[in-house]
Amino acid sequence: MPNADSRPSLYRDIEYLGGACAFAGEVRSAINKEALFDEFYHYEIEELCHAMHCFGAPAGTVLLQEGEEGDHLILLLAGQVIVRKTDIGGTVHSLAMVGPGSILGEMSLIDGERRFASCVAAEPTRFVVMSKSDLDEIVALHPRLANKFLVMLVRMMVGRLRDMGTRVISPLSKPLV
């Protein structure tokens, strides 16, 4: 596994709090708020922590920037984050306010494409980061855990897609004649 004590190259401008193993209890507490993690055993969460790093950011910090390349996801441990998306006319819309237990940036981790939306700390925030190389390590060393984690991410993304579809289509729907 990656050396949890060495600072990753991500988030150079904000406070590095160390390897996520030191925050394993906080990680467990945060993800217990997310039903998709219900199928994870205590030791599996500990193993995931070995691959992650923790950061602290003040309010106003852009954690993920729409349109930028990205190869990591974040799991919020504390604080609130605003998810924003810019429409084709340049207007910025707030899509959601999320808190502890929320996972952000998973789409770019999975497909390697640019960030879909921006995520900005609405208040002081603590979060852990899992990079693509960290995920690759988990896949190589713990394939069953990696499979479980990836299936959970897919379920989460499908849920968000269904929710977004409902919010977009419902106002536009017209009865069939």
Side-chain angles (χ1 to χ4, degrees):
M1 282 301 202
N3 182 352
D5 295 325
S6 62
R7 182 187 177 114
S9 60
L10 300 166
Y11 300 107
R12 287 287 180 195
D13 297 334
I14 62 174
E15 183 181 10
Y16 178 59
L17 302 174
C21 289
F23 297 86
E26 203 171 341
V27 170
R28 277 192 307 280
S29 176
I31 65 175
N32 282 340
K33 296 174 181 165
E34 179 59 58
L36 292 169
F37 275 104
D38 285 348
E39 298 176 17
F40 283 78
Y41 294 107
H42 179 81
Y43 72 89
E44 291 173 319
I45 294 167
E46 296 281 334
E47 203 57 54
L48 289 173
C49 285
H50 285 288
M52 298 188 288
H53 295 271
C54 191
F55 294 87
T61 302
V62 176
L63 304 178
L64 302 172
Q65 180 66 49
E66 180 179 352
E68 286 187 352
E69 292 183 14
D71 70 344
H72 66 281
L73 62 74
I74 62 176
L75 166 66
L76 297 179
L77 300 181
Q80 297 286 313
V81 170
I82 302 167
V83 180
R84 296 179 175 150
K85 177 78 177 149
T86 305
D87 68 21
I88 58 174
T91 303
V92 178
H93 301 272
S94 292
L95 301 179
M97 175 79 80
V98 298
S102 297
I103 294 176
L104 303 165
E106 73 286 344
M107 290 180 359
S108 292
L109 175 76
I110 299 298
D111 69 9
E113 296 294 322
R114 295 184 179 278
R115 298 288 185 197
F116 175 75
S118 293
C119 298
V120 180
E123 60 189 43
T125 303
R126 260 189 333 279
F127 59 96
V128 293
V129 173
M130 177 184 287
S131 70
K132 176 77 167 98
S133 62
D134 297 334
L135 181 59
D136 290 345
E137 284 282 327
I138 293 170
V139 168
L141 298 173
H142 306 284
R144 291 179 68 118
L145 175 58
N147 182 59
K148 198 173 191 178
F149 184 73
L150 289 169
V151 167
M152 183 272 307
L153 287 179
V154 168
R155 286 181 182 156
M156 183 184 66
M157 288 188 289
V158 167
R160 288 179 182 173
L161 182 60
R162 287 180 186 278
D163 179 58
M164 186 61 71
T166 300
R167 288 195 284 158
V168 169
I169 299 301
S170 295
L172 302 175
S173 296
K174 294 182 180 156
L176 294 175
V177 190

